[in-house]
Structure formats: structure tokens, C-alpha cells
Amino acid sequence: MGRIVLKDIRKTYGAVDVLKGIDLEVAEGELVVFVGPSGCGKSTLLRMIAGLDRPTTGTIEIDGVDVTARGAADRGLAMVFQSYALYPHMTVRANMAFGLQNTKMAKAEIDARIAEAARMLEIEPLLDRRPGQLSGGQRQRVAIGRAIVRRPTAFLLDEPLSNLDAELRVSMRAELSALHDRLGATMIHVTHDQVEAMTMADRIVVLRAGKVEQVDTPLGLYNRPANLFVAGFIGAPGMNLWAGRAGASGFTLDGGQVLPVAAQGATTLGLRPQHLRLDPAGPLVAQVTLVEALGAESVIHADLAGGQKLLAVLPGQPDLARGASVRFGFDPGHAHLFGADGLRAAA
Amino acid sequence: MAQVGAWVGAVITAPLRGFARLLDVPLRVWQRLAGQNGMAAFFLLPNMAIFGIFVLFPLGLNIAYSLTSGGALFLADRNFAGLGQYQRLLTCADYTNLLSCQEDQFWTALGNTALFVVVQVTALIVLATATALILNRELRARSFWRAVFFFPVLLSPVVVGLIWRWILDRNGVLNAGLVAVGLDPVNWLLDRNFAFAAAVGVTIWAHLGFFALILLAGLQAIPRDLYEAAEMDGTRPARVFWRITLPLLMPNMLVVIVLALIRAVQVFDEAFVLTGGGPGTATLFLTQYIYEVGFASLLKNPGLAAAASILMGGVLVVLTLLQLALGRRNERKAKLK
């Protein structure tokens, strides 16, 4: 249970097309992450699935049933909000019980479900506190607990980690993934943080300006981005994308440097910063403008001839001074090639 | 243009600057002598003087008057009566029969005021809450409707009373309308029950916008996410109101209730202009009683009026303390959130 199918979902506010025809299938038990920049429509799409907003056209099916016209309560879904949306005047226990009481469930059953969820999320000592007396991480757990007790067909998570500090976000990320494994439920998670998407998702849906740019596994997106947007969006720091032209001897950058890459028809060559290495015989010559030493690795900012920027992540703490001219090499197999239309060129 | 503005600004600020320079040296000397707390007291002095002259002094005078008897206006000419005026106000041979009271009019006014407070405040709170809930929805021309409800608040109470007297009078607009559709005219303000209801209705109309605005501010402070969470949980609208909206609106609601209580206890101007306390004593309220006894009746008794106003003031002090306590409780709760 928990298969969700979106067919040509469109949403228009006045003259603005927020969603421009989304088709997607989320398999039962899958953890799918919607990722994209602000305003791409990911939260709007999640709200449509939740039933909090209606699509202008298109259909939403859950387990084969068209639920497009159904209200939020009749879809069997549970949502965890960015703000957690806990009722501030109720205790944690009352927050978790509230939705179940609406269904006239027996008190013993409600208590049993709360106890089970509280044990799972390790929030038992917090049950009689109010949200105002909890830390951000604890509120987050309570919000998840409130969703769990309903035993929904699928969980919808709207940027649930964005209000947490960096350290807590990392641990909650792992906990959410573990929870997904334990519950085996379908989850749709919205985030603008691509690291969150990469670490948690079974599949990632990359959205931009109301359209799906690519749907794939995290490593599929990383290794074979379908277009320039995905190439630039996935991976941190972002992929180097250099303009140039393909020729018989390889790919010639706009600055004149020739890279030994077979690149028929390509106009942009992409290379991840992690795939560059210092190489005295390398084909890329660049002038260092900034070195960010992070300890275990260093991020090198440099200018190529012709003004294009180069970003490299090198292991350790290489002795590079600002202004130094450095040669970089790479494995041609790591190069990503894109045509004038922005799409991935055939290798 | 900007230069002209700067020039005008300089002309306006020049005398202020001169004045500030004049005060600078004596203020510095005073600060050195009096310290920081002394300075605070110094700056508060003008306000305290005004408060003293217009509030504390009349209050003291009122208490002094309430301990005297006779019709003389000046305190020096009046006879000391101790608590006699209070005794006169509060003494009844049989407390189940108001006519047996020494000041049966006081008790009538007290009873009318109590009934007015209960009926008017209850109706006002319900209507103000309903209005705020409606105005909080995504209505077409929402600002216009908010203005419509707030407009009567801007009117002088006397104007409110007059408008409604023109409407409800025997020869008023309402009766003209009834006659026009072939019905008999009604003496709205000469019927005890209608007149009381009119006093309640008119004061509600006049104050509704103010209280609805306070409640609307409270409603708008409730995060939308909470309603969406409730929607996901399949919560019925009535349960959303009782379990989510009302508890979260309670800080504003308590302020509104106490303010409405205070205003209702003080009811005078609109009702007096509308009904003059009549028919008979049907709409005689405490403030009007005090006014009549102290200033308007043939046998003026300032001491009795002062005693009645001190008793009424006591009720208002209790309500005000309640409001302050609630305010402090809300502040503490807000810090906890």
C-alpha cells in the first residue's frame, strides 16, 4: 500500500503556471525526495498530493484510486510540516492523540499507538510536556510521531529538517532514513538541500520552474545528469561547466585549451571539482585565486585562460599560493558533455 | 527639491536645537546630583503632575465627599457623615424586595447594570468573535468590510445615541418603514423590554468593531499550518474552533472580555441619549444614577453620588486588576512558547 501516481499535474495561479505538467510514479515503500531551488513548485506539488491544494488539471492516484477530488482527510496520508505545526496549547500526548480522536478510535487503542510511537522515537519522557518546552529536534520527533500514530498510506514531509541546526540535521537525516527502513512506508520528502536528498532518497525528483528535470537514484543523478541544470544542482560544490566546442582533437575550451575528450556535438563540458587532480602534465592550466583549506580537503578556486572559472576539491592540504599557475588533470571518463540544447550529449 | 526640504527642516529644527542647548547644562548638573533614577523621576514629573491633578486629586475629593452629607457644593460647607452615605445606599429592610431599600433607585440601577453587563458582554463577545472569524476569511473586499465594522467605533457616543434614537423613535425611520409596508408602528423606546434591548443592541453596534479588531489580530497570529494539520487529521470545523482556534485566541479573548466588562459597567452616554433611562427606570444604569443624584435631580446629593461612584469604582478596580493579571499571565505564556 502507498503507490502514488501523478498524471499531468498542472497548477495555475492567475497568469502564473506554477506546475507545468508533472508525471510521476512513486512505488510502494519508496522514499522519494523532491528537490529544487526556491519557487520550483516542490512544496506546491506536495500540498497537491496531501489534498491541501487542488491541481488545476491532472489526476492524483493513491493505490490505483483517483483521489484528486478528495479532501486531505480522505486520502489516508500524514504530513510533517516545516514548522512542525504542533498545537502549542496541547501536551505532546494530546498532539499525537488529536487526529485519532477525530476518528472516534477507542482510548485504549490511541494510548497503545502513542506508546508505540513514543518508544520508537524515544520521546516517552516528553509526552506530558508542551511543544514550547521542547528543543527543535524534540519537536521534530513529536511531529513525526503525530504522523506515525495515524498509520498512514504514505508520509509527506515538507522540509522537516530545515529549522534544525547543521549538526542536528545530520543526525535527524540518519534517523529519518532508519525510520523509513523500519516502517517500510512510502515517504515523499521535500527539501532544497541536495545533500539531504542525496543521503536519504531511494529516488530523487529534481524540479525547476514547475517541471521535472530528472528522476533518478541519487548516484544516477550524480553520475549521469540529464541536463545542465541537474549537473549544476546536484553535487557540492557544483560541477564545473565550461563552454567550448567539439573538434577532432578533443574539446576546445573558449580560452583555447584543448581537453582530450571525445565530444561530438557538445558545447559544454562538465567536470566535478572532486574529479580534478594536480598533474604537472595535465591539460588544464589555471591561475589560483583562492584556497579554502578545510583540513581533510581543500577547495581551490582558479581562473582558466579565457576567464572561465575552475573549482577543484583536492585531498589534504596542497601547498598552493594565490596567483600560482597550476596544471590540473582528470580522467576523461569523468567528463560530462552537454549539447547546445542543454541536454546530455551522447557519449 | 531635496535642498528645499533640507532648508525647511533646518528652519523647523533650529529653535528646537537652541532649546535643547539651553537645557543641556542644567540637565547635566541635575543628573550628576540626582543620579540616573532621579533623572527618570524628573522626566516622569510632568506626567505625574497631570495624573495627580486630574486623577488622584479628584479621587481623594470624591472619597472625602462620600463621607459628607447635605446639598452644599463646597466641601468646607458640608457635614461629616462618616459611612452614612454608604449605609444609606446599601441598607434594605428586606433584600428580596428592592422597594424596601433606602435607595431603591440605586438597587434598580445596580440590577439593570448587572443584567446589562451579562447580556451585553455575552452577546458582544459572541458577535465580535463571529465577526472576526468572518473577516479573517479570504473575503472579497475584506478591507472594506473591516472598515464597515470599525466605523461606528469612530463615532462619538452621543452621535451613536442620536442616530439610533432617530431610527427607533416613535416617528423614526424604522416606524416609517413599517408604516410604508402596511404595518403598525411600534413604540420601541417606550416598551421596557424593547428599550433595554435597544440599549444593549446599540452599545454592541458601537463597540463591536473595536473588539472584533482585537480578536482578528489574535486570529491572524494563529499559524495557518495548525489548521492544515487539523485538516490532514480530518478535524470537523466545530472541533477546530473549540480545540484549536478558541484556546489559541484565549489571550486576546480574555483581554476583550475584561475590557468589555469594564465598558459595560460604565455604560452611560449612548444609553442615556437613546432612552434617558426610561421608560420608567427600565434602562437606568449606575452611571446615570450617579449623574442624576449628584447633578440633575432637584434634591442634589453629591455625597450619595460620590459614595455610589466609589462603590462602582471598586468594581472597576477589581476588573482592572484582573485584566493586568491576565496580561502578565499572557506575557509569561508567550515567553514559554
Side-chain angles (χ1 to χ4, degrees):
Chain A
M1 296 284 277
R3 182 169 171 270
I4 298 171
V5 179
L6 309 181
K7 290 179 182 166
D8 194 29
I9 297 292
R10 293 172 189 273
K11 182 67 179 176
T12 307
Y13 291 107
V16 183
D17 293 333
V18 180
L19 297 176
K20 299 167 183 166
I22 307 274
D23 292 290
L24 182 69
E25 281 193 35
V26 178
E28 189 182 329
E30 199 176 18
L31 198 166
V32 168
V33 175
F34 293 172
V35 70
S38 293
C40 69
K42 55 190 186 294
S43 283
T44 308
L45 186 59
L46 192 78
R47 290 172 61 82
M48 307 258 162
I49 298 170
L52 295 171
D53 273 331
R54 293 284 154 84
T56 308
T57 60
T59 57
I60 299 165
E61 288 176 12
I62 298 175
D63 293 326
V65 179
D66 184 350
V67 297
T68 319
R70 282 193 194 175
D74 302 325
R75 298 189 179 194
L77 306 173
M79 186 151 166
V80 177
F81 293 82
Q82 185 175 1
S83 65
Y84 315 134
L86 298 174
Y87 308 121
H89 53 296
M90 296 183 199
T91 61
V92 167
R93 190 189 303 278
N95 263 283
M96 291 167 78
F98 190 75
L100 302 179
Q101 288 162 347
N102 288 334
T103 62
K104 309 258 190 254
M105 184 181 285
K107 190 176 177 302
E109 171 68 10
I110 292 176
D111 290 345
R113 285 196 186 189
I114 291 174
E116 185 191 349
R119 198 168 45 247
M120 195 188 289
L121 295 162
E122 294 170 14
I123 54 170
E124 286 153 306
L126 311 177
L127 284 176
D128 294 317
R129 291 200 204 163
R130 294 196 177 186
Q133 297 165 306
L134 306 179
S135 69
Q138 289 170 332
R139 287 183 206 193
Q140 162 68 225
R141 284 165 199 263
V142 174
I144 295 169
R146 187 171 66 176
I148 287 176
V149 292
R150 292 189 52 212
R151 299 195 181 150
T153 312
F155 290 85
L156 309 176
L157 306 118
D158 187 8
E159 306 213 27
L161 307 182
S162 62
N163 286 343
L164 304 178
D165 62 53
E167 202 179 332
L168 196 54
R169 205 179 307 166
V170 172
S171 65
M172 281 308 292
R173 224 157 54 194
E175 283 193 33
L176 267 178
S177 295
L179 189 71
H180 172 248
D181 292 343
R182 211 177 316 156
L183 294 172
T186 307
M187 285 189 182
I188 300 179
H189 179 118
V190 162
T191 180
H192 61 270
D193 181 348
Q194 47 115 344
V195 177
E196 206 172 295
M198 293 290 286
T199 51
M200 293 176 69
D202 292 328
R203 278 191 309 153
I204 297 176
V205 179
V206 182
L207 288 149
R208 181 172 65 148
K211 284 165 84 171
V212 173
E213 293 285 329
Q214 190 174 356
V215 183
D216 206 339
T217 60
L219 290 182
L221 288 179
Y222 187 84
N223 293 329
R224 289 187 60 79
N227 54 45
L228 281 171
F229 175 76
V230 177
F233 192 78
I234 297 293
M239 185 187 281
N240 292 296
L241 294 167
W242 296 313
R245 62 187 186 281
S249 55
F251 188 82
T252 308
L253 300 185
D254 282 354
Q257 300 185 53
V258 180
L259 307 182
V261 177
Q264 280 174 347
T267 57
T268 302
L269 184 142
L271 207 54
R272 297 215 177 268
Q274 293 82 352
H275 291 153
L276 283 163
R277 61 176 186 270
L278 290 175
D279 181 355
L284 279 162
V285 184
Q287 197 166 26
V288 176
T289 56
L290 180 67
V291 177
E292 294 173 328
L294 304 175
E297 61 185 25
S298 299
V299 180
I300 315 296
H301 297 251
D303 286 340
L304 293 168
Q308 300 202 76
K309 302 286 180 193
L310 175 146
L311 206 59
V313 176
L314 303 177
Q317 299 159 15
D319 185 21
L320 294 174
R322 188 180 294 189
S325 186
V326 183
R327 277 186 174 273
F328 291 94
F330 62 91
D331 177 350
H334 285 139
H336 303 268
L337 296 162
F338 302 94
D341 54 4
L343 299 178
R344 188 177 189 86
Chain B
M1 194 64 195
Q3 255 183 342
V4 174
W7 184 77
V8 171
V11 169
I12 293 170
T13 54
L16 295 174
R17 218 177 304 138
F19 183 64
R21 259 191 223 123
L22 252 174
L23 287 179
D24 188 51
V25 173
L27 280 178
R28 279 176 194 280
V29 172
W30 175 246
Q31 186 172 14
R32 197 156 296 169
L33 291 173
Q36 210 164 348
N37 288 342
M39 270 323 264
F42 176 74
F43 284 121
L44 286 173
L45 209 58
N47 193 33
M48 289 309 291
I50 292 169
F51 182 73
I53 291 166
F54 292 103
V55 178
L56 291 181
F57 175 66
L59 181 66
L61 207 58
N62 209 24
I63 293 171
Y65 265 89
S66 73
L67 303 174
T68 62
S69 64
L73 184 61
F74 293 104
L75 197 57
D77 304 332
R78 299 178 61 78
N79 306 318
F80 181 71
L83 296 175
Q85 302 287 20
Y86 294 95
Q87 201 175 5
R88 181 174 163 183
L89 282 174
L90 300 173
T91 305
C92 295
D94 173 10
Y95 282 94
T96 58
N97 176 14
L98 292 187
L99 290 175
S100 72
C101 298
Q102 264 187 305
E103 270 303 314
D104 61 322
Q105 292 266 321
F106 171 76
W107 286 94
T108 303
L110 191 66
N112 284 347
T113 307
L115 182 64
F116 179 86
V117 167
V118 172
V119 175
Q120 196 255 11
V121 171
T122 308
L124 179 62
I125 299 300
V126 171
L127 288 172
T129 307
T131 308
L133 285 170
I134 292 168
L135 292 179
N136 194 38
R137 303 181 86 152
E138 285 179 11
L139 292 176
R140 197 180 285 260
R142 185 159 61 169
S143 300
F144 169 75
W145 291 114
R146 283 180 191 176
V148 164
F149 282 99
F150 193 71
F151 175 69
V153 178
L154 304 176
L155 296 177
S156 146
V158 175
V159 173
V160 170
L162 282 174
I163 290 173
W164 282 96
R165 201 168 76 189
W166 290 334
I167 294 171
L168 299 171
D169 208 38
R170 187 179 149 73
N171 299 317
V173 178
L174 185 57
N175 276 341
L178 290 178
V179 171
V181 296
L183 296 171
D184 290 333
V186 181
N187 274 331
W188 301 107
L189 299 177
L190 294 181
D191 178 285
R192 292 183 70 85
N193 294 330
F194 275 138
F196 192 87
V200 169
V202 168
T203 48
I204 287 176
W205 179 79
H207 301 149
L208 180 75
F210 174 71
F211 294 115
L213 202 69
I214 297 177
L215 293 175
L216 183 61
L219 286 176
Q220 290 182 340
I222 300 174
R224 208 179 126 192
D225 282 359
L226 297 186
Y227 291 112
E228 291 184 340
E231 190 182 343
M232 292 293 299
D233 283 342
T235 318
R236 294 186 313 280
R239 191 159 194 253
V240 170
F241 176 76
W242 291 111
R243 295 294 309 275
I244 296 171
T245 305
L246 202 56
L248 294 176
L249 193 59
M250 213 27 103
N252 292 54
M253 183 64 87
L254 289 174
V255 170
V256 162
I257 290 172
V258 176
L259 282 178
L261 281 173
I262 291 173
R263 278 200 181 186
V265 171
Q266 291 174 315
V267 59
F268 176 58
D269 9 29
E270 294 104 337
F272 183 65
V273 174
L274 187 71
T275 63
T281 54
T283 57
L284 177 69
F285 299 115
L286 259 185
T287 314
Q288 189 186 339
Y289 167 80
I290 293 165
Y291 164 72
E292 301 271 359
V293 171
F295 303 101
S297 66
L298 283 174
L299 291 170
K300 295 179 186 59
N301 188 344
L304 193 65
S309 67
I310 293 294
L311 290 179
M312 194 176 119
V315 174
L316 292 176
V317 165
V318 170
L319 291 175
T320 307
L321 290 177
L322 183 67
Q323 190 201 355
L324 290 174
L326 290 174
R328 272 197 289 273
R329 198 183 77 158
N330 288 346
E331 259 174 48
R332 275 200 304 275
K333 272 193 173 177
K335 276 180 198 162
L336 257 181
K337 273 185 193 173

